[in-house]
Amino acid sequence: MFLTLLSLLVAEPAQTPHRFVFLGAGRFAQYADMASLQPEGSGGRIRVFQVVEPEFTAGGAAYWGGWSWWRFDCDAGGKVDRLDFASVREGGAEGPATPDDAPAYEAVQGGDAFEILVAACNPDDQDTDAVTLEAAVAHGRMNLAEGG
């Protein structure tokens, strides 16, 4: 029995739960996944999920939104750099990531990038709004319907 339990533990990779923090809603609802935060020096990397409105389709497929990795620097004038984008179909299937080659830029207060920077640079000050992708989509769509 012990070997059976051990084999189940080894066979099932541990999944890190998400820790989604709502950043705001405009055209999309944005969520920083604090569980993905990778500190590096005075900044780091974090993954952000962008929720689209219900019934959003492209090429005949329905989508929940998309993921992007962002690099940020809390000290260097608040610079951010979106590294890629990967669409997420309804149900959670993630498409391939497309690199974003635009240069890093200063996050301006009031913009989406600034909200990412604030959350990423102050992770302990953030309340968790969702712990699954499905819950983040539901929360985001609620905020989109309410206008943010």
Side-chain angles (χ1 to χ4, degrees):
M1 181 162 165
F2 175 74
L3 289 177
T4 303
L5 290 173
L6 182 60
S7 66
L8 285 174
L9 290 173
V10 172
E12 293 289 322
Q15 291 193 5
T16 305
H18 295 286
R19 184 176 161 237
F20 288 107
V21 171
F22 177 61
L23 302 174
R27 182 174 173 202
F28 307 105
Q30 302 273 352
Y31 290 84
D33 185 358
M34 304 310 285
S36 72
L37 182 64
Q38 300 171 358
E40 297 170 6
S42 64
R45 290 172 26 118
I46 192 165
R47 207 163 188 217
V48 175
F49 190 68
Q50 180 178 325
V51 178
V52 296
E53 292 184 359
E55 311 302 322
F56 181 92
T57 61
Y63 287 86
W64 279 349
W67 283 107
S68 290
W69 275 105
W70 289 76
R71 183 172 306 283
F72 63 92
D73 192 328
C74 302
D75 291 340
K79 293 245 182 207
V80 294
D81 187 7
R82 183 176 176 172
L83 304 174
D84 65 3
F85 179 80
S87 62
V88 175
R89 288 182 182 225
E90 199 168 285
E94 188 174 327
T98 302
D100 184 329
D101 297 327
Y105 59 96
E106 187 175 331
V108 178
Q109 191 166 358
D112 292 341
F114 184 80
E115 297 303 323
I116 294 168
L117 186 67
V118 168
C121 294
N122 304 286
D124 295 334
D125 296 343
Q126 309 305 313
D127 292 329
T128 302
D129 293 296
V131 294
T132 66
L133 189 59
E134 294 84 354
V137 170
H139 190 271
R141 288 181 171 175
M142 178 189 67
N143 278 284
L144 288 169
E146 294 173 358

